[in-house]
Amino acid sequence: SGDNILPNDTYSFFATADYAAPLGSGGCWRPRFTFVFAFGVMAIQVLTLSLLASDVTDSANKSNSLGIPAGVELTVRISQIVAIFITAISQQEVLQSLNVWYRGYDEETNINAFGSTSRVKWHFSLVSRFVVGCLGLYVTLILILRSDEVLDLLLNFTAVSFISSVDNVVFILAKWGYIGKDVQNDSRTVASAKIPITDDPNATSVKR
């Protein structure tokens, strides 16, 4: 088997799960729980990161609105550089979004794997993951630069990293069956869908 078609996170549900399901025979529709669940996880991440971004920004201080301290110790400065490097290479949402975008949307592969997917849903999943990832990256960088002690830096870095990884953690819980049978089935579908391995170089062409 090849690589996963989509990352193992709740943002992939936006691309693979039906957004609504028929309610009886009266022609009414209801939102599917998988979509509502994925949207709720995204809302929690966006709300938490937005509150943090608002809290660390002082618009009244025009010269230093981000509150970055001057004259910090050398150990703190080195720790900041290391933390920024780790943040840049470990921000999963941004890196995964770029990887999915690079591979592109192959209609035949996605429909065979997920059935109900479409190009619009694929792009919505991609953009949602990328935007939240960039927001998490921004907040993490600001908190790193605002820290004037190594302990504060590590605590801030760890806290925001956890918030940014909630979609991955919750996806694992969903696959284990803790969120319900429907979400478990959808998560297993995402986790098991692989890009077919082929010797044909034309089969891996990027289609956006």
Side-chain angles (χ1 to χ4, degrees), residues 7-188:
N8 289 343
D9 60 26
T10 54
Y11 292 99
S12 293
F13 293 149
F14 291 143
T16 63
D18 290 324
Y19 290 179
L23 185 61
S25 58
C28 297
W29 291 71
R30 61 174 176 82
R32 277 204 66 214
F33 179 69
T34 300
F35 171 73
V36 175
F37 172 72
F39 193 86
V41 173
M42 181 181 70
I44 291 173
Q45 286 183 298
V46 171
L47 178 61
T48 305
L49 293 172
S50 297
L51 290 174
L52 284 172
S54 175
D55 185 63
V56 298
T57 304
D58 183 9
S59 57
N61 187 350
K62 301 297 183 182
S63 61
N64 189 13
S65 60
L66 299 179
I68 300 175
V72 297
E73 297 180 358
L74 179 60
T75 54
V76 176
R77 191 65 71 196
I78 294 175
S79 299
Q80 289 175 332
I81 295 173
V82 172
I84 290 174
F85 175 75
I86 294 174
T87 299
I89 65 173
S90 64
Q91 222 306 328
Q92 291 191 47
E93 280 70 25
V94 173
L95 295 177
Q96 289 173 340
S97 297
L98 293 175
N99 185 44
V100 171
W101 174 82
Y102 176 77
R103 290 204 306 256
Y105 175 77
D106 184 84
E107 186 171 9
E108 181 179 358
T109 299
N110 280 267
I111 289 179
N112 288 339
F114 308 119
S116 63
T117 189
S118 68
R119 186 178 295 273
V120 173
K121 293 169 66 174
W122 183 85
H123 277 96
F124 178 60
S125 169
L126 174 66
V127 172
S128 300
R129 182 186 295 107
F130 182 75
V131 170
V132 175
C134 287
L135 180 58
L137 185 61
Y138 168 77
V139 173
T140 304
L141 291 176
I142 297 306
L143 288 175
I144 289 173
L145 294 175
R146 283 173 56 96
S147 302
D148 55 6
E149 294 183 3
V150 175
L151 180 59
D152 290 340
L153 187 153
L154 292 176
L155 290 175
N156 292 333
F157 175 77
T158 303
V160 180
S161 296
F162 174 76
I163 296 171
S164 297
S165 66
V166 164
D167 54 295
N168 304 99
V169 175
V170 172
F171 182 90
I172 294 173
L173 294 177
K175 192 168 65 171
W176 288 346
Y178 289 102
I179 314 297
K181 195 65 178 178
D182 286 344
V183 185
Q184 182 183 35
N185 291 336
D186 289 331
S187 62
R188 286 179 173 177

